[in-house]
Each structure stands twice: as C-alpha cells, then as structure tokens.
Amino acid sequence: MSEHTPKAQANVRGPRATKAVIPAAGLATRFLPATKAVPKELLPVVDRPVLQYIVEEASRSGINDVLLITGRGKTSMVDHFDRQPYLEARLEAKGDMERLAAVRGTSELAEIYTCRQGEPLGLGHAVSYAESHVGDAPFAVLLGDEFTAEDDPLLPQMLDLQARTGGIVLAFIEVPDDEVNRYGIASVESAEPDLADVDNVVRVTGLVEKPARDQAPSNLAVVGRYVLPGTIFEAIKRTKPGSGGEIQLTDAMALLLTEGTPVHGIVYRGVRYDTGMPLGYLQAVVQLASQRTDLGPAFKEWLKAFVAELDGPAGAA
Ligand code: G1P
C-alpha cells in the first residue's frame, strides 16, 4: 500500500475508498462512425486506449478493484485487461520483452469486474448498478473519457479528503460562462478551518446539473472524478429524471447535500485530458505524444514544421 493509506492521514474518520466504478455504457455518438463497433473508451491516445489511462490513474491512487459498467457491444473493453497467452508467448519467443511487459502490464493493473447497464438512462442510473459490488463502503467514480496528468494527480487527495469527511468529494475546474450548460455546476463557500491543510478545497452549498448560463450559481464545473459514500445508492433510488430526462448523479448528490451530507470539492488547476469530444481527443493525443521520450522529439520537430507551414507567409511575417 502507498503513503495514501488512511493511517497516514490526520483526522481520519472512516475507511479510504478502495474500489472504483467506471461508467462506460454510453453510445459515443460524437465519434461515429469510429465508435460503431469500437467502444470510445478504447480509442487510442498514442498507443494506449483512453480507458487504460483511467485504470492506471486508479491503480496509482491505491485502488485496484475496478468495476466497469458496460453496455452492448462493449465487451472488448474487458478483453483489454485480460491475459493474452498466445500473444505473450509470441512476443517472448521473439525476445520482444518491452512489448511483452506492455501487454502483461494491462492485466496486472487492477482486478476488473463488469456489469451491464441494460439501458443508458443517465449517470446516476449507471452508478446505481454498482450497489451490490461496493455495498455501503465509500467508492470512487471515474468517468471513462477524462484523466489527469500523471505527475499532477487529483484522485489521491480526493480519497484522503473523503476518508476525513465521510461525505461526498468532487473535483472542479473553472469553465467559461458559455460552457456552464455542459456540466454539473456548484455553489461553494470556504471550507471548514480544520481542512485548512487541504489545497484548493471548498465546501459545496448547492449543485445543479447543466444550468442555463443565467441560472448558473458559479463557474465551478464538476469534472469526472467523484468519491461517494454508500448512501448515494439510496439517494439515486429517490431521484427523479432530471436534465435530459435522465437520472442524474448530480441530483442524487444534491439530495444528500440538502439532507446534511458534507460535500466538498477540490479545484483542480493541473492538466486534464478530456477525450469525450473530437477536439479534446486530438489535443490529448498531441500533448501526450509530445511528452513521450521515444516518439516526442521527432513528433515535436514535425509538429513545429507543420504549424509553421499552416501559418504560411502571414505567420512568417
Ligand atoms: C456528466 C455529469 C456532469 C459533469 C460531467 C463531467 O455529464 O452529469 O455533472 O459535469 O459529466 O464531464 P455528461 O458529460 O455525461 O453529459
């Protein structure tokens, strides 16, 4: 176990979450036709699928039990984390130990469990499928298309904070006014003095899913990392369809908030890769390819020349 075990933290009230749930049943219409037969979670960012970055993030945070909420046509997501004895034997026979380690490594990241969300009726509905797997212990929810920079993690702080508060811990980014209608938006106040040692923490006083620009209480948007107490399941059962006619996780969390569950957020200022839309996906590929020690130098050299050419004579002037 890492230094993030509950015993290493001051003021620990409860256990640190040890399980993560990844809702991944969506249809990914933004990437059609690429996602007609390939789950969007398996689209590659350089040479690893998006989902692998997310499971690696969980694993680095001390979570090695991951439940994938899947849907029809998405079983290849599970295969990615399975052993591949035939492929491994071929790589071993060729002496390609680097690729062998890469192939084996994916099956050693975490214990992967799956369950099916029969119909995609919303994020809250997806999370409700995790109840029998996680029981009443706290757990993390990681959305399947966003992840943070490896050297600037967010999840460990969130897990530690939730173990102290026993409540809900969210992650926020600041978004421009014209983007508030794409996110859950929070109203916040300063956190309690006994949390003064936690960087960038705020106490949440209200939550609303995808508000219109003039209804948004702030510019703090909920991003795809949540640490939740087991009481969320019962709250989801009491949650009626909301924004988009779907059972929203935001609404279930807002219900617990009004009933006294402490809700905190950490404002994240690090690099976040959002591969849920084509532009963000392309940006993630370029950023992560540039950082690679093997591909990076040649790729950056090509990229600079390419951009200079795009700028044309005006850029050169
Ligand atoms: C979901 C949540 C929303 C959150 C967003 C983060 O929305 O419902 O509250 O801000 O993820 O990406 P979706 O992107 O699934 O519409």
Side-chain angles (χ1 to χ4, degrees), residues 123 143 146 183-184 209-210 222-224 226 248 250 272:
L123 182 57
L143 298 193
E146 43 183 296
Y183 294 93
E209 178 70 7
K210 304 198 172 83
V222 174
V223 290
Y226 308 75
Q248 296 292 351
T250 302
R272 165 178 169 264

Side-chain angles (χ1 to χ4, degrees), residues 25-165:
L27 298 174
T29 49
R30 288 173 188 140
F31 283 92
L32 285 171
T35 47
K36 193 174 163 198
V38 177
K40 77 167 174 182
E41 293 80 5
L42 291 188
L43 293 179
V45 174
V46 192
D47 53 10
R48 279 184 274 169
V50 173
L51 186 59
Q52 185 175 332
Y53 287 89
I54 293 164
V55 175
E56 285 174 356
E57 183 183 319
S59 172
R60 280 194 303 272
S61 309
I63 290 185
N64 52 20
D65 178 313
V66 173
L67 175 67
L68 292 176
I69 314 281
T70 73
R72 266 178 300 281
K74 302 193 95 174
T75 44
S76 51
M77 286 191 305
V78 187
D79 294 339
H80 181 72
F81 298 98
D82 199 358
R83 292 293 300 268
Q84 265 270 32
Y86 177 73
L87 176 62
E88 289 173 31
R90 289 294 295 261
L91 292 168
E92 197 159 11
K94 276 171 51 184
D96 191 343
M97 305 321 268
E98 206 175 311
R99 289 201 175 90
L100 177 64
V103 166
R104 278 211 182 125
T106 62
S107 61
E108 289 161 0
L109 283 172
E111 296 292 332
I112 304 286
Y113 300 87
T114 64
C115 83
R116 288 282 189 128
Q117 183 187 9
E119 277 180 283
L121 299 180
L123 182 57
H125 179 252
V127 170
S128 73
Y129 279 81
E131 182 171 12
S132 59
H133 186 77
V134 302
D136 55 13
F139 63 103
V141 173
L142 316 181
L143 298 193
D145 48 21
E146 43 183 296
F147 55 95
T148 53
E150 193 175 328
D151 58 2
D152 194 1
L154 166 68
L155 190 55
Q157 282 162 266
M158 296 178 68
L159 293 165
D160 292 339
L161 179 58
Q162 199 280 336
R164 286 171 67 170
T165 68

Side-chain angles (χ1 to χ4, degrees), residues 104-302:
R104 278 211 182 125
T106 62
S107 61
E108 289 161 0
L109 283 172
E111 296 292 332
I112 304 286
Y113 300 87
T114 64
C115 83
R116 288 282 189 128
Q117 183 187 9
E119 277 180 283
L121 299 180
L123 182 57
H125 179 252
V127 170
S128 73
Y129 279 81
E131 182 171 12
S132 59
H133 186 77
V134 302
D136 55 13
F139 63 103
V141 173
L142 316 181
L143 298 193
D145 48 21
E146 43 183 296
F147 55 95
T148 53
E150 193 175 328
D151 58 2
D152 194 1
L154 166 68
L155 190 55
Q157 282 162 266
M158 296 178 68
L159 293 165
D160 292 339
L161 179 58
Q162 199 280 336
R164 286 171 67 170
T165 68
I168 293 172
V169 175
L170 303 173
F172 298 130
I173 56 165
E174 282 177 60
V175 296
D177 289 348
D178 61 351
E179 288 183 18
V180 290
N181 63 353
R182 286 174 24 198
Y183 294 93
I185 300 290
S187 44
V188 303
E189 62 184 26
S190 304
E192 302 84 326
D194 64 342
L195 294 178
D197 59 309
V198 182
D199 288 339
N200 303 314
V201 65
V202 288
R203 181 158 181 133
V204 176
T205 55
L207 283 168
V208 53
E209 178 70 7
K210 304 198 172 83
R213 188 176 174 152
D214 56 358
Q215 307 277 312
S218 79
N219 286 59
L220 288 179
V222 174
V223 290
R225 296 293 177 270
Y226 308 75
V227 190
L228 303 169
T231 48
I232 195 70
F233 296 117
E234 176 271 329
I236 294 170
K237 286 179 197 142
R238 291 190 283 131
T239 300
K240 307 228 164 14
S243 168
E246 296 185 338
I247 311 245
Q248 296 292 351
L249 182 59
T250 302
D251 295 343
M253 296 190 301
L255 192 58
L256 288 181
L257 172 65
T258 58
E259 292 170 354
T261 298
V263 183
H264 293 86
I266 294 180
V267 183
Y268 184 64
R269 303 191 201 276
V271 177
R272 165 178 169 264
Y273 301 102
D274 183 359
T275 63
M277 295 219 245
L279 181 62
Y281 171 76
L282 290 171
Q283 289 164 340
V285 171
V286 171
Q287 284 169 283
L288 288 158
S290 303
Q291 289 163 21
R292 287 273 294 249
T293 48
D294 52 353
L295 284 166
F299 179 65
K300 281 191 287 190
E301 200 174 312
W302 171 83

